[in-house]
Amino acid sequence: DVCRTYDDIQRAYVDRLVEDESIEEIRCNVPLKGPEVEDYMTDFVCIRTDGEMMVRECVYRRLLTKPLTLKLLDMSLEYWTKLGVKDWGIVIDAEKQPDETG
């Protein structure tokens, strides 16, 4: 299947998911359903080989303290927790080392 990624974090993370033998199914850009979720899509919803669901949201480090980012992450966490997901997390870009430029 085709997985459309929208940024470098998603592209890098989907490669890791594909290589992970404990992941049986990967769905990307999964829309949340309900009036309280405001047209939001979760970046990755995965099914592990043991049947457990795993949810990941990809966020740039520089956006982690932005109010809208926090609101959307909270909304996602609450949504998936209500559906019984125990393995919810965020994926962020690597922190630049002091000697890196850009």
Side-chain angles (χ1 to χ4, degrees):
D1 291 334
V2 174
C3 179
R4 173 168 281 162
T5 58
Y6 293 99
D7 58 41
D8 292 337
I9 301 172
Q10 285 183 335
R11 274 186 284 286
Y13 194 64
V14 76
D15 289 341
R16 290 182 69 185
L17 290 171
V18 168
E19 293 173 4
D20 187 337
E21 293 182 11
S22 73
I23 303 294
E24 187 172 287
E25 178 184 336
I26 303 167
R27 291 182 279 155
C28 59
N29 304 313
V30 177
L32 307 188
K33 296 183 170 123
E36 69 281 354
V37 292
E38 304 172 20
D39 298 323
Y40 184 78
M41 288 192 299
T42 286
D43 293 317
F44 295 102
V45 175
C46 303
I47 306 297
R48 294 186 177 280
T49 54
D50 64 3
E52 289 294 315
M53 191 178 297
M54 177 183 93
V55 174
R56 293 294 183 267
E57 301 290 1
C58 298
V59 181
Y60 282 102
R61 182 178 301 275
R62 69 180 187 276
L63 300 177
L64 280 174
T65 59
K66 302 286 184 186
L68 179 58
T69 301
L70 295 173
K71 176 184 173 186
L72 294 173
L73 290 173
D74 284 343
M75 182 176 56
S76 171
L77 175 58
E78 183 177 328
Y79 179 88
W80 291 108
T81 300
K82 284 181 181 177
L83 292 178
V85 172
K86 294 179 180 84
D87 188 358
W88 182 96
I90 61 172
V91 178
I92 57 174
D93 52 326
E95 189 169 15
K96 290 185 180 184
Q97 299 302 315
D99 61 337
E100 290 184 65
T101 57

